[in-house]
Amino acid sequence: DAKTTQPPSMDCAEGRAANLPCNHSTISGNEYVYWYRQIHSQGPQYIIHGLKNNETNEMASLIITEDRKSSTLILPHATLRDTAVYYCIVRFKPSGSARQLTFGSGTQLTVLP
Amino acid sequence: DAGITQSPRYKITETGRQVTLMCHQTWSHSYMFWYRQDLGHGLRLIYYSAAADITDKGEVPDGYVVSRSKTENFPLTLESATRSQTSVYFCASSEQGGNSNSPLHFGNGTRLTVT
């Protein structure tokens, strides 16, 4: 499996951009990069995913390096409600006809007032 | 409202009791999953289902039973609860499987305590 490395924790000032890095140096050509977050006491929430190109949606932007060995999730204007654990995932495991996602330890992002 | 809902939100049961956790989704997603989350272990897959009447084991299936008689429901049963099954349980669904990259959508979890 492609493994991911994320810093265990980060702080960000409210209103500033939060840039969350993820290393995935063993990613293979057909593996997507997914980002989820988990706010305390809630289920994981899908944020964004991408393969090669940078992606943007209403929640965040995803920047993937050209060699695809790392990526950055950008929350353009962090708010206190963005405080959560952010998971970077680059492996889904086809098993028969099904698929899974393997969650690592993630980054605890704390947005400070 | 559309979405994925889990019930109960909290459950306390005794060792040896049978307990069923419910999961219901309104999207008609084909795939459904059960994860457990424990400190130090992250999210671990228990069982998953590709469609009604099709289920398969995940990483930690022992002690659990699932069924999927209808697309929208995927109950998880602990046949004889043990203290090691004290955890937070999350149900998830996704539109497609196989080579699809559709994301998973999670419920808000059931916090189960086995005494």
Side-chain angles (χ1 to χ4, degrees), chain A residues 30 32 34 36 38 40-46 49 87 92 94-104, chain B residues 9 31 33 35 37 42-43 45 48 50 56 90 94 96-104 106-108 111:
Chain A
N30 62 351
Y32 281 64
Y34 292 83
Y36 287 76
Q38 188 172 21
H40 183 62
S41 298
Q42 297 182 19
Q45 178 189 23
Y46 165 76
H49 74 283
Y87 295 98
F92 62 94
S95 176
S97 59
R99 54 185 285 273
Q100 315 171 19
L101 289 176
T102 301
F103 287 74
Chain B
R9 190 79 168 90
Y31 286 80
F33 307 82
Y35 286 85
Q37 187 172 36
L43 280 151
L45 183 68
Y48 60 89
D56 209 345
F90 290 102
S94 69
Q96 299 172 16
N99 293 323
S100 163
N101 296 297
S102 54
L104 269 64
F106 287 82
N108 278 329
R111 184 174 295 274

Side-chain angles (χ1 to χ4, degrees), chain B residues 18-82:
Chain B
Q18 181 181 83
V19 59
T20 297
L21 310 183
M22 305 302 294
C23 180
H24 176 77
Q25 53 105 355
T26 59
W27 290 304
S28 299
H29 285 171
S30 297
Y31 286 80
M32 297 188 75
F33 307 82
W34 274 105
Y35 286 85
R36 60 177 290 176
Q37 187 172 36
D38 307 287
L39 283 174
H41 290 281
L43 280 151
R44 293 182 292 174
L45 183 68
I46 305 171
Y47 268 95
Y48 60 89
S49 170
D53 298 321
I54 300 174
T55 62
D56 209 345
K57 297 178 180 179
E59 182 184 357
V60 289
D62 293 344
Y64 303 95
V65 174
V66 293
S67 61
R68 186 114 180 259
S69 58
K70 293 184 178 180
T71 299
E72 60 267 30
N73 296 323
F74 191 39
L76 176 73
T77 298
L78 288 67
E79 294 186 300
S80 179
T82 66

Side-chain angles (χ1 to χ4, degrees), chain A residues 29-105:
Chain A
N30 62 351
E31 290 180 328
Y32 281 64
V33 179
Y34 292 83
W35 283 85
Y36 287 76
R37 72 180 182 183
Q38 188 172 21
I39 297 170
H40 183 62
S41 298
Q42 297 182 19
Q45 178 189 23
Y46 165 76
I47 302 173
I48 198 167
H49 74 283
L51 181 64
K52 296 180 181 179
N53 300 321
N54 298 336
E55 302 287 343
T56 296
N57 63 20
E58 65 278 5
M59 291 183 67
S61 295
L62 173 61
I63 308 298
I64 302 173
T65 58
E66 191 170 345
D67 64 7
R68 302 207 327 120
K69 294 184 176 182
S70 65
S71 61
T72 301
L73 179 74
I74 301 172
L75 308 178
H77 305 286
T79 70
L80 298 179
R81 289 175 294 179
D82 292 322
T83 292
V85 178
Y86 287 77
Y87 295 98
C88 168
I89 304 160
V90 295
R91 173 64 172 171
F92 62 94
K93 298 182 180 180
S95 176
S97 59
R99 54 185 285 273
Q100 315 171 19
L101 289 176
T102 301
F103 287 74
S105 300

